Amino acid sequence: MTALSILDLSPVTTATSPAAALNNSLDLARHVDRLGYSRLWLAEHHNLPTIASSAPDIMIGQIAAITRNMRIGSGGVMLPNHAPLMVMERFKVLEALFPGRIDLGLGRAPGTDQITSLALRRRQDTSSEQDDFLDRFQEMMLFESKGFPANHPFSKVDAMPTGVPLPPIFLLGSSGYSAELAAQVGMGFSFAHHFSDFPPEIPMLNYRNQFRPSAWRDKPCAILGVAAIAADTEQEADRMALSADLHFARRAKGEYGPLASPDEAAAYPYTPIDRERIKQNRKRLIVGSADQVRERIAALADVTKADEVMITTMVYDHAARKHSYALLADAFGLAVDVPRAAAE
C-alpha cells in the first residue's frame, strides 16, 4: 500500500482570514495525526491572497509540538529566498527539538511574483535571470559535510546547534531538473503534480532509475504531490471543487483573491475560455467519492512508482477539508491511532 501524506497550504477563503487559516492548520494537524498519514508538510508562498503559509519553519515547530505520529516538514523552503546557513540552523533547531520527525524539502522557485521576490531580497548579488539554486544547495552541503577547503572563510563557520544533523532532504520539482539532481546527489524527491502539467511519470521514473546511493540516503524515496477533494458523494465533491475551479480560472487571468464559496463560484459568469481552462485543470484535480479518489490516486501511484502520495486539498469549508482527509484515510485503510483516553 502506498503511504499517504498531506501538503497543507493554509487556505484563505472569503470567510477565513489568514490568521484563522493558520489556526485551521493546527486544527487539521491534530485531526490527521490520528488518521495514519505519514507526514505533513507546510509550504512557503508569499503575497498570495489564497495561501497564508509564508513561514514553514515556524509552523513546523508549532505543529510538531502538538502531534506525535507524523513527520513534519517543509514542502518546501524556497532556497533562493534564504541564506543556506540560516535554513540549516532553523532546521537543526527543529531536529534538535523533535529528533527523527522533521523533513527539509527544498524548492528552487521563489514561491511568489517578481516584485515580491525583490522585496524578499532574493539574489541580491546576481542578475534576476540567473538561477542560483544549485550554488546555494552546494553551499549548504559543504557546510553540513565540513567540505570547505581550509583556506575558505566558511571553513570556520559551524551551523548551530552543532552535533545535530540536518533532517532528511527532499528536492521539490515540477519538471525534470530537480528529479535528476536529487538522483545524482542521493536525496529524496517530490514531484508537484498538483500544479504541474508535466507528465509525472517522466521525472518520477527518471529519479528512481538514476538514483545513486549516498551518505544522505541509501535508496530512493519518491513522493507524488496531488490535488484531491473527496466527499461522501461524487456530487458533493464536485460542488466543493467549484471553489477551486473559480480560483484556477481567475488566476489564469492574473486575478488573485481568497478562495470563494461554492455558491459564489456557481454564480460566476464564466467565459468559454474559462470553462476550457477548468476542464483541463480537472484532468489533474482528483474529485469524487472516497473510492473514486482512491482509484485515481492508486493508478497514479502505480504508473509513477511513487513511494508515497502527498495530498493537498483546497476547499472553502475547513470541516469539509478535514472530512475529505478522513474519508481517504479510511478508503486507503490507514491505521488510525486511537487516543489513550478514548481507548480507556
Side-chain angles (χ1 to χ4, degrees):
M1 183 184 71
T2 304
L4 291 187
S5 292
I6 293 171
L7 173 63
D8 181 17
L9 303 181
S10 303
V12 180
T13 77
T14 54
T16 308
S17 69
L22 293 174
N23 281 282
N24 282 346
S25 288
L26 299 181
D27 181 61
L28 177 70
R30 293 188 188 95
H31 174 66
V32 299
D33 190 46
R34 298 188 289 106
L35 295 179
Y37 285 91
S38 297
R39 64 186 95 221
L40 185 148
W41 283 2
L42 292 307
E44 178 189 341
H45 289 282
H46 303 280
N47 197 32
L48 288 178
T50 319
I51 298 174
S53 182
S54 60
D57 51 328
I58 294 176
M59 290 298 291
I60 288 168
Q62 294 294 315
I63 288 176
I66 61 172
T67 57
R68 66 180 186 182
N69 300 317
M70 300 179 297
R71 298 186 64 91
I72 314 298
S74 58
V77 166
M78 300 295 104
L79 188 56
N81 294 339
H82 309 279
L85 181 62
M86 182 66 74
V87 174
M88 295 180 69
E89 293 195 326
R90 289 174 178 174
F91 276 80
K92 282 175 176 279
V93 167
L94 289 168
E95 180 66 22
L97 294 174
F98 309 101
R101 291 190 57 212
I102 305 300
D103 295 324
L104 173 53
L106 297 172
R108 56 189 286 247
T112 190
D113 58 87
Q114 291 184 344
I115 298 300
T116 307
S117 174
L118 178 63
L120 289 165
R121 300 299 190 267
R122 181 173 182 253
R123 299 174 179 161
Q124 294 181 82
D125 56 352
T126 61
S127 70
S128 59
E129 291 79 21
Q130 183 178 344
D131 184 347
D132 63 348
F133 171 82
L134 187 56
D135 293 338
R136 293 179 186 237
F137 177 70
Q138 290 176 327
E139 183 177 304
M140 179 180 289
M141 296 303 96
L142 288 171
F143 271 124
E144 181 67 2
S145 65
K146 303 297 291 183
F148 287 108
N151 61 349
H152 193 287
F154 288 175
S155 66
K156 304 292 193 294
V157 178
D158 289 321
M160 301 297 288
T162 58
V164 178
L166 274 179
I169 294 176
F170 292 79
L171 301 187
L172 315 184
S174 56
S175 61
Y177 175 87
S178 294
E180 295 177 4
L181 178 59
Q184 290 173 10
V185 299
M187 294 185 178
F189 172 64
S190 180
F191 180 73
H193 179 56
H194 56 288
F195 68 78
S196 175
D197 290 323
F198 199 80
E201 63 273 15
I202 295 176
M204 292 285 284
L205 295 178
N206 283 346
Y207 164 72
R208 184 171 300 282
N209 294 333
Q210 298 173 22
F211 182 84
R212 301 176 184 175
S214 69
W216 312 101
R217 184 176 292 278
D218 61 1
K219 60 182 181 180
C221 181
I223 300 176
L224 179 67
V226 302
I229 298 171
D232 293 322
T233 66
E234 180 181 3
Q235 293 74 22
E236 176 60 16
D238 190 66
R239 190 193 72 84
M240 288 162 53
L242 292 177
S243 300
D245 290 341
L246 177 56
H247 173 68
F248 186 80
R250 283 175 165 171
R251 190 177 64 183
K253 296 183 287 190
E255 300 173 3
Y256 294 89
L259 204 63
S261 70
D263 289 341
E264 181 182 344
Y268 186 81
Y270 295 99
T271 67
I273 294 176
D274 291 336
R275 295 192 182 281
E276 182 58 30
R277 285 170 173 162
I278 290 170
K279 180 181 177 181
Q280 292 302 314
N281 187 55
R282 280 293 190 107
K283 294 179 180 179
R284 184 174 57 231
L285 176 61
I286 303 173
V287 180
S289 67
D291 287 341
Q292 290 172 323
V293 173
R294 176 183 53 79
E295 289 176 6
R296 286 190 59 186
I297 288 178
L300 274 172
D302 182 61
V303 74
T304 60
K305 307 302 180 188
D307 296 296
E308 192 169 316
V309 173
M310 182 167 282
I311 302 168
T312 185
T313 300
M314 292 286 282
V315 295
Y316 181 78
D317 184 70
H318 177 59
R321 186 163 70 121
K322 291 170 63 177
H323 187 52
S324 178
Y325 284 123
L327 287 172
L328 293 179
D330 183 64
F332 278 88
L334 302 187
V336 176
D337 172 49
V338 179
R340 180 174 300 175
E344 295 174 351

